[in-house]
Amino acid sequence: MRSNIRIVSPAGRAALQYVQRRNFSSSLRCNAQWGFIGLGQMGYNMARNLQAKLPSSDTLRVYDINQESLNRFVDETKALSKGAAVQLASSVREAAEDSETTITVLPEPSHVKKVFGELLKPVLSTQRVANPDRLFIDCSTIDPASSREVASAVHSTNQGSFVDGPMSGGVVGATAGTLTFMVGAPDSLFPRVESILLMMGKKSLHCGAQGAGLSGKLANNYLLAINNIATAEAMNLGIKWGLDPKVLGNLINISTGKCWPSEVNNPVKGVVPASPANRDYSGGFGIGLMKKDLKLAIQAAGEAGARLELGDRAREVYESAEKREDCKGRDFSVVYRYLGGKE
Ligand code: NAD
């Protein structure tokens, strides 16, 4: 069994020469180096899947400001005999400089801008990775304008290609490798991007040019934010009128009100056995993330001149709910509790 952990020290770095120059015309190559920045709830599990699916001739260089996540990643991968070798980087630059592909999974626009600010100045070396071959895939959910700003910083300084690939499927999908990715990339790059993303997910949708993946993701999550509140209100209303929760849930789910929050993530305990409502709203999609995505969608709608009637009100609901101790940090269907629903 080989240990697949290598610490990248300045001395060790000099030894990290490529055995051979790769042929970049194919989407996946031998002896490739990969960078992964952001080992949080999503990124950690995505990096685990990527590491496991890459050939042992490849290396995966990981970085996070949270040393605990990095140490855990080391502990969990050091005994593995399969998959890419793991290297720990000591900075975002070290994770990306020699990597043909670098994946970022960061919380908010400010984090993505900060990381790329550190990455791109001074200009990345072209000694080991030629500019046209260097690819950045940002899987963070941020607003399309910020994403385009970062893409422009990469492209205008000729340091590679930057595409957006936000995802849906949550921590469960990230762990199981079943995520769906929404990609904003030029046609010519999509096959390479897709072949990479499918090592961490099951589906990828090409939405259009750079930024389009995020537009699609935010439009979807805007609808989800509204549907979730409406479902909680409708369930609360029916139950207050005396309807049995299960009867009402079943009725909605064979009628025109059916939606993901009613059918899969129903906010009332006992209606859908696997929903977070059955475990005190733990796990699932955190109310804080919903609030963040809604804020980004409202901001992007303003920039596009798209009128939203319900956005601000929905945002107030999530903001007030998140302030309550019995709702904070829980799945976003906890809005039902915030409304005073019977539990
Ligand atoms: P998270 O907060 O758990 O993880 C983010 C990670 O980024 C953390 O480990 C943090 O230490 C690291 N980080 C922050 N700044 C950094 C920096 N400067 N350099 C290196 N690392 C840095 O977030 P998450 O839940 O993994 O979500 C990541 C992204 O995916 C978000 O944009 C989120 O909206 C999106 N997303 C999350 C879910 C979900 O269910 N959690 C689902 C779909 C999409």
Side-chain angles (χ1 to χ4, degrees):
M1 187 188 296
R2 71 166 162 75
S3 165
N4 64 350
I5 302 298
R6 280 175 242 151
I7 308 290
V8 184
S9 63
R13 228 177 302 151
L16 290 170
Q17 300 289 345
Y18 283 134
V19 175
Q20 63 186 69
R21 190 80 191 110
R22 282 175 225 116
N23 171 10
F24 284 97
S25 59
S26 61
S27 53
L28 290 176
R29 296 165 293 277
C30 292
N31 305 313
Q33 177 152 318
W34 305 76
F36 205 108
I37 300 170
L39 298 178
Q41 291 205 75
M42 297 295 286
Y44 189 94
N45 296 301
M46 292 162 71
R48 285 294 312 266
N49 281 315
L50 183 65
Q51 185 274 334
K53 297 216 174 108
L54 289 173
S56 56
S57 53
D58 284 8
T59 53
L60 176 66
R61 209 178 267 189
V62 292
Y63 180 71
D64 195 294
I65 46 171
N66 182 346
Q67 192 61 40
E68 207 183 303
S69 294
L70 281 174
N71 292 343
R72 189 155 61 93
F73 199 85
V74 172
D75 287 346
E76 288 185 10
T77 51
K78 71 180 165 200
L80 301 176
S81 54
K82 283 187 181 162
V86 174
Q87 298 178 346
L88 301 190
S90 58
S91 67
V92 289
R93 239 184 119 77
E94 202 167 66
E97 181 131 42
D98 295 338
S99 300
E100 288 87 1
T101 306
T102 298
I103 295 160
T104 41
V105 189
L106 298 160
E108 307 219 15
S110 60
H111 302 98
V112 176
K113 286 182 190 173
K114 181 171 185 289
V115 161
F116 278 87
E118 289 169 22
L119 261 178
L120 301 174
K121 282 183 202 147
V123 170
L124 289 166
S125 156
T126 54
Q127 270 189 322
R128 294 178 189 157
V129 185
N131 289 345
D133 302 324
R134 186 178 273 131
L135 172 66
F136 296 101
I137 306 177
D138 183 33
C139 295
S140 321
T141 305
I142 62 171
D143 60 297
S146 296
S147 185
R148 281 193 281 269
E149 195 182 313
V150 175
S152 163
V154 174
H155 299 153
S156 64
T157 52
N158 192 28
Q159 298 195 63
S161 305
F162 176 96
V163 303
D164 52 303
M167 64 251 166
S168 76
V171 178
V172 172
T175 308
T178 55
L179 294 169
T180 295
F181 293 94
M182 299 140 214
V183 181
D187 291 349
S188 58
L189 262 183
F190 181 68
R192 178 175 167 195
V193 173
E194 182 174 51
S195 66
I196 295 165
L197 294 177
L198 291 185
M199 287 190 273
M200 299 174 284
K202 277 261 183 282
K203 287 184 211 147
S204 76
L205 263 98
H206 189 197
C207 302
Q210 199 280 313
L214 283 162
S215 299
K217 163 84 183 169
L218 292 183
N220 178 72
N221 280 23
Y222 178 78
L223 179 60
L224 177 63
I226 307 287
N227 274 348
N228 178 58
I229 297 174
T231 302
E233 287 180 335
M235 290 299 297
N236 185 34
L237 183 66
I239 292 164
K240 289 255 166 17
W241 280 335
L243 288 170
D244 176 80
K246 262 190 143 163
V247 170
L248 177 59
N250 290 341
L251 179 155
I252 291 171
N253 288 329
I254 55 164
S255 306
T256 44
K258 181 170 100 169
C259 55
W260 188 84
S262 71
E263 197 179 25
V264 178
N265 213 55
N266 198 289
V268 183
K269 188 177 172 181
V271 176
V272 175
S275 79
N278 297 283
R279 37 177 205 272
D280 195 21
Y281 302 98
S282 65
F285 185 50
I287 193 166
L289 283 176
M290 185 75 267
K291 189 184 82 176
K292 182 202 85 164
D293 288 1
L294 185 55
K295 183 181 109 189
L296 294 174
I298 293 169
Q299 181 188 329
E303 284 157 10
R307 180 171 154 190
L308 299 177
E309 287 288 336
L310 301 176
D312 286 336
R313 184 66 195 113
R315 188 175 163 181
E316 282 166 25
V317 170
Y318 289 113
E319 276 173 1
S320 315
E322 211 199 7
K323 285 186 188 135
R324 266 181 39 180
E325 265 319 303
D326 59 347
C327 298
K328 195 178 173 157
R330 290 182 155 79
D331 179 76
F332 74 138
S333 62
V334 77
V335 160
Y336 175 76
R337 173 177 284 168
Y338 168 75
L339 294 173
K342 188 175 172 213
E343 292 183 57

